[in-house]
């Protein structure tokens, strides 16, 4: 960028242009970076951890600005995109298959993200579906295993897995902990990794024991609030 001294340039990235431009304040978040230019040509690179990259928009309150280049360097977890040999005579189904794979790859960082845009965390309910898709699409097992271990590290004092990892939350969704157990079972079935299953077995058993103790012979579990059981049914979000 060539600009005058002190020119403020805001850089926004987003997935759609429904607001006649990139939305910089989606879901009460602020999806926009800011740089302050020196006089002349400025070269700026920010190796940020996560961002979306379908659209980029620059904002500057000046008429004296030259953009020489603006772009995003994409980097993703290495997978075998050709592991699933899907091809049919319907071009729409082929496009859906390609887009589905790309969407899954965009959600693969250190762990499976709920979304590459504004929900950059992992929940066991969504991650379980992503893992199943990854087994079929890429034959990928190591990534799923690390995601399962990451969730296992988030066990709360009340015996439940955090609703979103690696965040700390005041609430939990009990069925998400059960879904983690199902994801572990499916991982072992698809990968044949009995060792990992044995390593995670005790955590699964503790979760089941926690549910059993909380029900006290009843059909429903009590409400969980900050780890303190109270009367009522745990509501879904």
């Amino acid at each position: 960028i060539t600009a005058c001294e002190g020119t403020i340039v805001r850089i926004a990235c987003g997935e759609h242009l429904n607001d006649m431009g990139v939305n910089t304040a989606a879901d009460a978040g602020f999806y926009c970076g800011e740089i302050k230019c020196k006089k002349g040509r400025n070269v700026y690179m920010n190796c940020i951890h996560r961002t979306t990259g379908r659209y980029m928009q620059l904002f500057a309150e000046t008429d004296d600005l030259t953009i020489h280049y603006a772009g995003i360097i994409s980097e993703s977890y290495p997978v075998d995109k050709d592991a699933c040999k899907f091809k049919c005579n319907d071009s729409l189904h082929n496009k859906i298959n390609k887009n589905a794979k790309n969407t899954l790859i965009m959600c693969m960082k250190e762990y499976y993200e709920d979304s590459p845009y504004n929900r950059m965390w992992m929940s066991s309910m969504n991650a379980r579906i992503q893992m199943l898709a990854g087994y079929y699409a890429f034959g990928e097992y190591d990534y799923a295993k690390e995601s399962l271990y990451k969730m296992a590290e988030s066990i709360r004092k009340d015996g439940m897995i955090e609703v979103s990892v690696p965040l700390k939350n005041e609430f939990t969704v009990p069925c998400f902990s059960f879904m983690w157990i199902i994801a572990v079972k499916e991982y072992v079935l698809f990968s044949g990794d009995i060792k990992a299953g044995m390593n995670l077995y005790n955590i699964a058993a503790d979760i089941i024991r926690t549910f059993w103790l909380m029900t006290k012979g009843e059909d429903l579990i009590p409400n969980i609030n900050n780890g303190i059981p109270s009367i009522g049914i745990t509501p879904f979000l």
Side-chain angles (χ1 to χ4, degrees):
I1 295 174
T2 297
C4 297
E5 180 75 27
T7 300
I8 302 297
V9 178
R10 294 179 174 85
I11 307 169
C13 298
E15 291 298 296
H16 61 80
L17 301 175
N18 295 347
D19 305 312
M20 303 301 292
V22 173
N23 191 345
T24 60
D27 301 327
F30 187 63
Y31 296 89
C32 190
E34 182 178 289
I35 61 173
K36 186 175 182 179
C37 297
K38 64 181 181 180
K39 182 179 179 180
R41 185 157 182 163
N42 295 257
V43 177
Y44 173 80
M45 179 175 179
N46 184 2
C47 297
I48 59 177
H49 197 55
R50 300 179 178 93
T51 189
T52 53
R54 188 170 187 178
Y55 299 105
M56 173 186 282
Q57 187 171 7
L58 275 62
F59 302 86
E61 297 181 3
T62 178
D63 295 327
D64 188 8
L65 181 73
T66 301
I67 300 175
H68 301 283
Y69 170 80
I72 294 177
I73 301 173
S74 177
E75 191 167 26
S76 59
Y77 182 83
V79 296
D80 182 3
K81 294 183 180 181
D82 297 323
C84 174
K85 301 291 185 180
F86 178 86
K87 187 175 183 180
C88 69
N89 294 327
D90 190 321
S91 60
L92 177 60
H93 282 75
N94 291 328
K95 186 175 182 179
I96 290 173
N97 175 64
K98 180 181 178 180
N99 288 346
K101 286 183 178 180
N102 288 337
T103 299
L104 187 60
I105 291 173
M106 288 177 66
C107 291
M108 300 174 76
K109 303 298 189 304
E110 295 94 339
Y111 45 79
Y112 278 114
E113 297 175 340
D114 282 8
S115 162
Y117 185 31
N118 64 335
R119 298 188 64 188
M120 300 176 187
W121 56 75
M122 173 173 58
S123 63
S124 58
M125 186 73 77
N126 294 342
R128 179 243 174 170
I129 301 299
Q130 292 170 306
M131 291 175 192
L132 284 173
Y135 301 151
Y136 286 104
F138 311 124
E140 175 59 48
Y141 304 112
D142 290 340
Y143 193 88
K145 178 173 68 174
E146 294 305 316
S147 294
L148 290 170
Y149 274 107
K150 189 73 174 179
M151 286 185 279
E153 294 172 357
S154 75
I155 292 289
R156 297 153 44 107
K157 292 182 179 180
D158 58 17
M160 299 287 103
I161 289 177
E162 288 283 3
V163 66
S164 51
V165 178
L167 306 181
K168 293 293 184 181
N169 303 277
E170 294 182 359
F171 58 86
T172 186
V173 180
C175 67
F176 280 26
S177 295
F178 269 145
M179 196 56 62
W180 177 84
I181 296 175
I182 293 174
V184 171
K185 181 199 75 171
E186 291 170 341
Y187 166 77
V188 174
L189 288 176
F190 277 86
S191 68
D193 188 354
I194 303 297
K195 182 178 179 180
M198 294 300 296
N199 288 338
L200 297 171
Y201 172 83
N202 288 337
I203 297 176
D206 287 342
I207 292 174
I208 295 174
R209 187 180 301 109
T210 297
F211 274 100
W212 183 79
L213 292 174
M214 288 172 59
T215 58
K216 298 180 180 179
E218 302 294 332
D219 293 331
L220 299 175
I221 65 172
N223 184 41
I224 304 173
N225 182 19
N226 291 326
I228 303 175
S230 59
I231 298 174
I233 304 173
T234 301
F236 197 76
L237 295 182

